[in-house]
Amino acid sequence: MKQLVSIPSKWLLSIGAYVALLSIASAQTFASDITSTAHQARVKDIATIEGIRDNQLVGYGIVVGLQGTGDSQQTAFPTQTLASTLLRMGVSVPAGAIRVQNLAAVFVSATLPPFSRPGTKLDITVSSAGDARSLEGGLLLMTPLYGADGKIYAQAQGPLVVGGYSIGANGNLKQVNHPNTARVPYGGIVERAVPLDFAEQRQFSLLLNDADFRSAEGVASAINHAVGRTAAHVVDSRRINLSAAGGEEVPAFLAQVESVEVPVFPRAKVIVNERTGTVVIGGTVVLQPVSILHGGLAVNVVSEFQVSQPNAFGRGDTKVVRQTSVDALDKPVNRIELKQGATVDDLVRSLQTIGASARDVISILQAMKSAGALEAEIEVL
């Protein structure tokens, strides 16, 4: 038979208050953990407004005035381009009679910013399309720049600014940077505007640069708090719908939205560039306890060719003899131990202690990810 224990009512009140305090403390701890993993950023730095975007332009033209560093005679399209250009100017010259050492065929690219009007000047980039050695000292002739719809949006022309040079003589070549690519500051002029009118529009979409539901909810809440009404509504992990109030000026509303500081919860990422050996580890990366053993075996095979010369009165023949030597070096195993609560700084210091190279760090990080000791996404560039 079970025995019932009676608890005074004042004790029940104390126990209830204690449980309530525990709940409040747990909620505060959880909130502090959330705040510690987030950082503040402006909306304009982490998101864009749909429809307000750049547009890429491209064109094909010729650069003249080079000092013998243009395309060679084997490149056919520069001569054809020059012949057609001269024909439009009333000069008929056969393409085979044109020498192209002082000109180069190039592709011209530019970016058309939003709300650009006719007359707006653009910076353009010029890149050689043939086998020209250098564009230094060249002049870009008038080149139309086309958009994705095939329409002309800008015209480009002007002297080139090259950030390098290439000099060659008697088979010797000296080159600095990339002289086949140049820029023309304010060399493009907008001729056609992209239609974009916000006068009657009241609905907009805010697109986050990095899709994340938690960040999207934080952005919507911060915007609603800043404007004092429900103006933002989360659609998915990247899109947030915005609605301007009746009679409210759209530029002022969007300016207020872009200036709002919001909490951002970035993904834990490790960026790896295999080509350059660069590794960037984010501060939100979490490491689990792990023991790493790292060593290496280097085998070098060296071949040398020696000439076997007989004596002066010998009857032997002179021969080339190949001497091969094999050398193996087995490095001792290095050990790294990461305990509970280890940080990215601890990992980097440990890797530096054992003298790990960038390639070794990349291999170790990939192995840690496979073992479940690295709670982050590895992105290989």
Side-chain angles (χ1 to χ4, degrees), residues 26-27 63 80 87 94 105 116 120 125 141 176 220 222 224 230 247-248 278 286 294 301 304 317:
S26 300
V63 171
Q80 297 174 359
L87 186 60
S116 296
T120 304
T125 302
L141 298 184
V176 175
N224 293 334
T230 306
E248 185 177 11
T278 303
V286 178
H294 180 69
V301 180
E304 295 181 355
D317 298 330

Side-chain angles (χ1 to χ4, degrees), residues 149-370:
D149 54 359
K151 298 179 181 179
I152 297 177
Y153 285 90
Q155 296 281 352
Q157 181 174 280
L160 307 184
V161 177
V162 182
Y165 62 87
S166 177
I167 301 176
N170 299 326
N172 297 323
L173 179 65
K174 176 65 175 179
Q175 179 174 322
V176 175
N177 296 333
H178 298 278
N180 291 337
T181 300
R183 288 181 62 84
V184 182
Y186 297 108
I189 299 179
V190 177
E191 301 293 342
R192 183 197 301 267
V194 177
L196 188 62
D197 188 11
F198 285 163
E200 302 298 333
Q201 187 174 352
R202 293 297 169 185
Q203 301 294 327
F204 304 92
S205 292
L206 195 66
L207 303 179
L208 297 180
N209 298 335
D210 296 325
D212 182 69
F213 282 104
R214 193 177 183 185
S215 297
E217 287 290 345
V219 170
S221 300
I223 293 175
N224 293 334
H225 178 73
V227 300
R229 59 183 178 85
T230 306
H233 173 69
V234 177
V235 178
D236 51 37
S237 61
R238 186 180 295 274
R239 181 187 296 271
I240 302 171
N241 286 341
L242 301 175
S243 59
E248 185 177 11
E249 294 186 359
V250 173
F253 170 70
L254 296 180
Q256 184 181 6
V257 168
E258 287 187 336
S259 62
V260 175
E261 291 191 356
V262 298
V264 180
F265 305 89
R267 293 177 179 270
K269 272 190 177 183
V270 176
I271 309 300
V272 174
N273 193 328
E274 290 279 0
R275 296 185 296 272
T276 61
T278 303
V279 180
V280 179
I281 304 176
T284 58
V285 175
V286 178
L287 305 177
Q288 297 296 334
V290 66
S291 181
I292 303 172
L293 300 178
H294 180 69
L297 175 64
V299 179
N300 297 324
V301 180
V302 181
S303 296
E304 295 181 355
F305 294 91
Q306 299 179 355
V307 178
S308 177
Q309 180 72 27
N311 296 329
F313 299 99
R315 298 182 178 180
D317 298 330
T318 301
K319 294 184 178 180
V320 178
V321 181
R322 181 178 181 178
Q323 301 290 338
T324 303
S325 61
V326 180
D327 183 20
L329 176 61
D330 193 3
K331 299 179 181 179
V333 175
N334 297 313
R335 183 173 183 269
I336 299 175
E337 182 178 357
L338 299 177
K339 299 182 179 179
Q340 185 69 31
T343 62
V344 176
D345 185 63
D346 297 333
L347 173 62
V348 174
R349 291 179 183 273
S350 300
L351 293 176
Q352 290 177 345
T353 301
I354 66 174
S357 63
R359 306 292 179 183
D360 296 332
V361 172
I362 293 174
S363 301
I364 291 173
L365 291 175
Q366 291 175 345
M368 291 178 62
K369 176 65 176 179
S370 301

Side-chain angles (χ1 to χ4, degrees), residues 64-86:
V64 298
L66 303 179
Q67 192 174 1
T69 60
D71 294 329
S72 63
Q73 202 67 29
Q74 287 77 14
T75 308
F77 52 87
T79 58
Q80 297 174 359
T81 304
L82 182 59
S84 60
T85 302
L86 293 176

